[in-house]
Amino acid sequence: MSLQNEYIGGITWGFMGRRGTWSTDEAERSMELMSSVTGANWTAIAFSALQATPQATEIPYWEEPTVSDEEVKRAIGKAKSLQLKVCLKPIVNCADGTWRAHINFFDKDVPCEPKWSQWFSSYTNFILHFAAIAEETGCEMFCIGCELVQADRRAEEWRTLIAEVRKIYSGTITYNCDKYQEDNVTWWDALDVISSSGYYPEHDWEAQLDRIEAVVQSYDKPFFFMEAGCPSRIGSAAIPNDWSLKGEPSEEEQNRFYEAMFRSCEAREWVQGFMLWDWPARLYPIEEAAQNDDYCMYGKQAASLIKDYFTTKTK
């Protein structure tokens, strides 16, 4: 699947889920609402496994709190029943709270120090495990990593991983680079699709799209934003990647961000869609939507804006 002629009107589902939270009627109802409220035709089913620290070299994806294989398969099955195409997106995070972009090791091996080779060995096992599930369940896309900024420079290891994934997964493969990193990844040619996190300030979209366009043209690959969104919070439209920003709830602020993003991207035909961030497996009650200041758009002004926009692109 090349995505050459397909628009991705997608929502990321389930990311904050912990083991046990996906195997519920509540989780299934959440996905049903996501589909109906947003008009999505795709979903990125996203979950994380935890390594202890940024310098740990083991990723015990089989342990809690990571959702179980059965939960992952159930979520994929539910999405398929709703006629949603699926990108399976396993993510590594750090249990100590450090952002995964800071996972890093010496470029040259040093005795008695943790090494890139050790980390990539464990990471490969993690990714191949879920690539096999993506193949078994018919996921249309598989994302091999997310916002691993310090690891992006390790091109040889990524190329090796991609080759291993292709041995067991036959669908479309992408990597979700972080915002501002699109032109730093040197191995886009090994993937099927370029994707990145579109957390750009509402007034900076044109400049950033100019920069990304040069990358897309250079590699001649399809492109979409694997993540993009904004908290419904005063000040967030100017710094949408800061989930800890202090501010009063404001669905108007979130809506304004989406208006700016869609307006700018609409003029760039090479932007083939979004997996908007995000929609939890456990939704807040709709009567509390106005006081919710997170990324989820359920019950907020942005929901109808998103549905209208996606409908024009996918119907």
Side-chain angles (χ1 to χ4, degrees):
M1 186 171 69
S2 67
L3 297 185
Q4 287 296 144
N5 299 305
E6 180 169 1
Y7 190 86
I8 296 175
I11 309 290
T12 300
W13 182 88
F15 175 65
M16 295 302 290
R18 301 171 70 86
R19 185 165 298 186
T21 63
W22 283 17
S23 57
T24 65
D25 292 342
E26 182 183 13
E28 293 202 347
R29 178 59 178 157
S30 165
M31 194 180 290
E32 291 169 1
L33 286 167
M34 179 190 75
S35 176
S36 63
V37 167
T38 67
N41 65 343
W42 275 81
T43 184
I45 293 178
F47 57 95
S48 62
L50 300 180
Q51 61 182 68
T53 70
Q55 279 69 57
T57 57
E58 182 180 22
I59 305 165
Y61 60 86
W62 54 89
E63 295 181 353
E64 294 186 10
T66 304
V67 292
S68 68
D69 291 357
E70 291 71 24
E71 287 177 288
V72 172
K73 293 175 184 179
R74 176 171 173 166
I76 294 168
K78 181 63 180 180
K80 294 286 188 179
S81 76
L82 295 169
Q83 308 304 309
L84 295 170
K85 292 186 176 181
V86 176
C87 174
L88 191 61
K89 187 180 179 183
I91 299 172
V92 63
N93 274 319
C94 300
D96 69 357
T98 305
W99 181 34
R100 58 188 170 274
H102 299 290
I103 294 171
N104 198 14
F105 306 93
F106 296 146
D107 279 333
K108 294 181 179 180
D109 286 355
V110 176
C112 300
E113 294 292 343
K115 299 169 179 60
W116 276 118
S117 59
Q118 296 169 329
W119 184 83
F120 265 103
S121 176
S122 183
Y123 187 77
T124 296
N125 291 336
F126 167 50
I127 292 300
L128 292 182
H129 177 81
F130 288 104
I133 289 177
E135 179 71 12
E136 174 191 340
T137 55
C139 292
E140 286 82 1
M141 189 183 297
F142 185 69
C143 185
I144 64 166
C146 178
E147 300 174 346
L148 292 162
V149 177
Q150 298 295 340
D152 286 353
R153 68 183 187 273
R154 305 295 295 189
E156 182 178 350
E157 288 93 331
W158 284 110
R159 291 181 184 278
T160 299
L161 172 60
I162 293 164
E164 291 300 309
V165 170
R166 290 199 187 280
K167 292 177 182 178
I168 61 175
Y169 176 70
S170 59
T172 298
I173 302 174
T174 191
Y175 170 74
N176 177 185
C177 76
D178 193 29
K179 58 202 172 294
Y180 303 101
Q181 306 302 315
E182 295 91 349
D183 43 4
N184 288 334
V185 175
T186 62
W187 37 275
W188 289 125
D189 58 288
L191 294 160
D192 301 314
V193 179
I194 298 171
S195 66
S196 72
S197 291
Y199 300 110
Y200 293 117
E202 62 176 324
H203 299 304
D204 197 33
W205 273 97
E206 295 300 332
Q208 298 307 324
L209 288 169
D210 285 344
R211 180 182 57 78
I212 298 168
E213 185 168 0
V215 178
V216 175
Q217 291 177 344
S218 175
Y219 285 95
D220 192 26
K221 298 278 186 178
F223 172 89
F224 74 103
F225 286 106
M226 178 61 85
E227 293 185 18
C230 178
S232 50
R233 189 181 307 155
I234 293 293
S236 286
I239 187 167
N241 59 294
D242 188 352
W243 58 87
S244 64
L245 183 73
K246 303 298 182 184
E248 293 297 313
S250 173
E251 55 185 286
E252 293 82 3
E253 179 105 0
Q254 182 185 55
N255 196 65
R256 195 178 74 235
F257 171 87
Y258 274 109
E259 288 177 336
M261 181 178 72
F262 288 154
R263 182 171 59 249
S264 294
C265 291
E266 177 64 20
R268 315 281 181 140
E269 63 181 13
W270 51 269
V271 177
Q272 290 184 227
F274 306 86
M275 292 286 194
L276 300 177
W277 193 267
D278 69 331
W279 195 280
R282 283 181 171 174
L283 279 174
Y284 47 81
I286 195 166
E287 60 270 18
E288 297 178 9
Q291 295 306 310
N292 178 278
D293 66 352
D294 211 339
Y295 287 89
C296 184
M297 60 290 292
Y298 176 56
K300 302 173 187 176
Q301 292 178 16
S304 59
L305 175 70
I306 291 164
K307 185 172 186 176
D308 289 346
Y309 187 74
F310 279 178
T311 300
T312 66
K313 307 296 283 188
T314 61
K315 302 300 183 184

